[in-house]
Amino acid sequence: SEEMKLPDPSTLKDEILAKYPPKIARKRAKSMVINDTKLDQEVQSNVRTIPGIITQRGCTYAGCKGVVLGPTRDIINLVHGPIGCSFYAWLTRRNQTDPGPEGPDGENFINYCFSTDMQDENIVFGGEKKLKQAIQEAYDIFKPKAIGVFSTCPVGLIGDDVHAVSREMKEKLGDCNVFGFSCEGYKGVSQSAGHHIANNQLFRHVVGNDDTKPEGKFNINLLGEYNIGGDGFEIDRIFKACGIDVICTFSGNSTMGAFEKSHTADLNLVMCHRSINYMAEMMETKFGIPWMKVNFIGGDSTAKALRKIGEYFEDEALQAKIEEVIAEELPKVEARAAEARKRTEGKMAMLFVGGSRAHHYQELFKELGMETVSAGYEFGHRDDYEGRKVLPTIKVDADSRNIEELKIEADPERFNPRASEIKLETLQEKGLEVSDYKGMKSDMSDNSLIVDDITHWETEKLIEFYKPDIFCAGIKEKYVVQKSGIPLKQLHSYDYGGPYAGFEGAVNFYTDIETMLSTTIWKKLKAPWLATSATDPCICAE
Ligand code: CFM
Ligand code: HCA
């Protein structure tokens, strides 16, 4: 498709900033970048949200308990805190599960909501006793393989030691792995700090506990895939067709057993880099497993990711099989895109989501002939915008504060010989992007507007300026955006649709977007705040 010439958003940026007090305007200006792909522009990110503005962000506890550990079936995730932290996080993320090889009776605690239900008394006199009782009770009823204890804000404030309690209970119970997370909501500036804490504890307490060697020929882990709307199932289907064995997915539909033997894989594939890069790095250092960034969002990206895996293993039979799968699947995807494009070509999209999807999903819009005029992450870091080239001395990521760094040393006894044989440089010589990756910035057009941790005020002004054809964000944004006449696609939950990953996912996405863009209902809506009277129905006349 012809590249669209985007309008210069400088006046928009000025107008937005003019409303803020000077100090805040200065701060927000650094998070709003008018993209120029020729320049090395810094996008300010991973800094504290300004108190008083409406942010899309969530907390550290959400990133740790909800995002990383949430999708694991057979661990009991016990929240130490007042009941609201559990109740309002109960089954709100659309990570899907299947019963697993053990069938419907296999362990699956995901539907439960476990909490110590702290009361005033526990805040005043301490909650450790109550936590011990809760661990004991959960163990007696469910006999789980593992219990994770998640700290909410008050726990850090009153000083309950979840790690000491977990150690004591692990010893007492004997056959249950109990470990804690200091993931108090305020520990970082967003969910991002919670990812890091989750990675560290999972690595320290679980990964590497089972040395059983895999039987397959091409053994990989898929990192940063959480099976939202069944994405992981679609990717598994493709891997299976290619003859690639998945030892463990971090952490969609995962089990403790899979985590425990994940260090026996030959290669780590990283899908959502933001949430799980720490695990990839630690597994590379300790077990010699290289990692590479992949993207299974979009038909072409999926094909590209598969080919990269084929190249990595340097196996002709595998590469032939991969080509066979692509030849079978991709034409169907392209045909659907071509059909949908009749109604989507030239339309404008905006994406403000999390820490990776605001980038990955631009690919699908591109395949629909659409232009992303503005995008940003809720909690991405600089490398998610600007990309990272691996030069051992340079690490762009300054990382979250207050986090105890995990010291890891290489374990020569358990180094994966096949994986470590293939050196990083060799892979880079072959042109494979290994341990480095592109950020959002280089994939966006000049003059597009990148906004980190977008505020509600900025959202309204952007909509007014661009009048985009579709806005992508989450549940908090959905209805207010739709009331202003713009359809909103949730890229967190997929609005009960999906999968959107892989080949079949791309087809689903094209159809859903085509439908949303073809309906005329949005143009008939008038925002309630523009109502002329109390009885105005807020529907525009034909
Ligand atoms: Fe990674 Fe995610 Fe995302 Fe994320 Fe999330 Fe999510 Fe997301 Mo919601 S791990 S960064 S913390 S891709 S829960 S599955 S949709 S904000 S863009
Ligand atoms: C989270 C989870 C969330 C929220 C989605 C939303 C998800 O950040 O705690 O705001 O609609 O994907 O479920 O990102």
Side-chain angles (χ1 to χ4, degrees), residues 513-542:
I513 298 304
E514 179 192 26
T515 309
M516 288 177 90
L517 295 189
S518 302
T519 174
T520 53
I521 186 71
W522 310 108
K523 294 186 184 68
K524 296 191 204 307
L525 285 176
K526 186 163 82 184
W529 55 90
L530 297 175
T532 48
S533 72
T535 54
D536 184 342
C538 288
I539 305 283
C540 298
E542 288 287 328

Side-chain angles (χ1 to χ4, degrees), residues 67 93 191 195 224 226 228 272 274-275 353-358 378-379 491-492:
V67 174
R93 189 155 169 265
Q191 289 94 316
H195 302 148
Y226 301 92
I228 307 301
C272 168
R274 180 65 276 133
S275 60
V353 206
S356 76
R357 295 178 178 212
E378 289 173 55
F379 49 75
L491 284 191
H492 300 262

Side-chain angles (χ1 to χ4, degrees), residues 217-276:
K217 201 163 168 207
F218 311 110
N219 302 302
I220 57 112
N221 296 313
L222 181 58
L223 271 56
E225 166 47 55
Y226 301 92
N227 204 25
I228 307 301
D231 279 352
F233 294 149
E234 163 63 1
I235 299 171
D236 282 348
R237 180 189 72 84
I238 296 169
F239 281 151
K240 199 158 175 228
C242 296
I244 297 162
D245 284 304
V246 183
I247 305 292
C248 181
T249 300
F250 287 73
S251 59
N253 194 37
S254 58
T255 60
M256 294 304 290
F259 288 141
E260 286 173 346
K261 50 178 197 260
S262 58
H263 65 299
T264 64
D266 302 313
L267 174 66
N268 280 332
L269 301 173
V270 178
M271 176 79 181
C272 168
H273 180 266
R274 180 65 276 133
S275 60
I276 209 91

Side-chain angles (χ1 to χ4, degrees), residues 174-189:
D175 61 351
C176 180
N177 192 357
V178 188
F179 48 100
F181 298 85
S182 290
C183 57
E184 286 86 349
Y186 58 77
K187 265 286 172 74
V189 303

Side-chain angles (χ1 to χ4, degrees), residues 398-468:
D399 250 330
S400 326
R401 305 157 304 159
N402 299 334
I403 293 173
E404 184 205 347
E405 285 300 327
L406 186 65
K407 298 256 184 311
I408 356 140
E409 269 141 39
D411 183 345
E413 305 258 291
R414 300 161 82 202
F415 231 59
N416 183 330
R418 178 154 79 178
S420 56
E421 205 171 83
I422 306 170
K423 289 272 172 292
L424 195 71
E425 299 80 48
T426 336
L427 293 162
Q428 282 170 332
E429 269 166 33
K430 288 204 279 177
L432 286 171
E433 293 165 39
V434 177
S435 304
D436 67 358
Y437 49 92
K438 283 205 298 179
M440 171 194 288
K441 197 180 171 297
S442 63
D443 277 338
M444 290 186 70
S445 302
D446 286 341
N447 268 351
S448 60
L449 184 60
I450 298 174
V451 186
D452 183 70
D453 186 21
I454 195 170
T455 71
H456 181 76
W457 159 248
E458 292 158 11
T459 303
E460 282 189 356
K461 294 301 282 180
L462 255 65
I463 287 175
E464 199 181 286
F465 180 81
Y466 287 107
K467 300 187 181 55

Side-chain angles (χ1 to χ4, degrees), residues 298-316:
D300 289 339
S301 311
T302 301
K304 190 174 153 203
L306 293 173
R307 288 187 174 123
K308 257 166 93 166
I309 301 166
E311 273 194 63
Y312 172 79
F313 283 107
E314 298 183 306
D315 185 282
E316 273 170 33

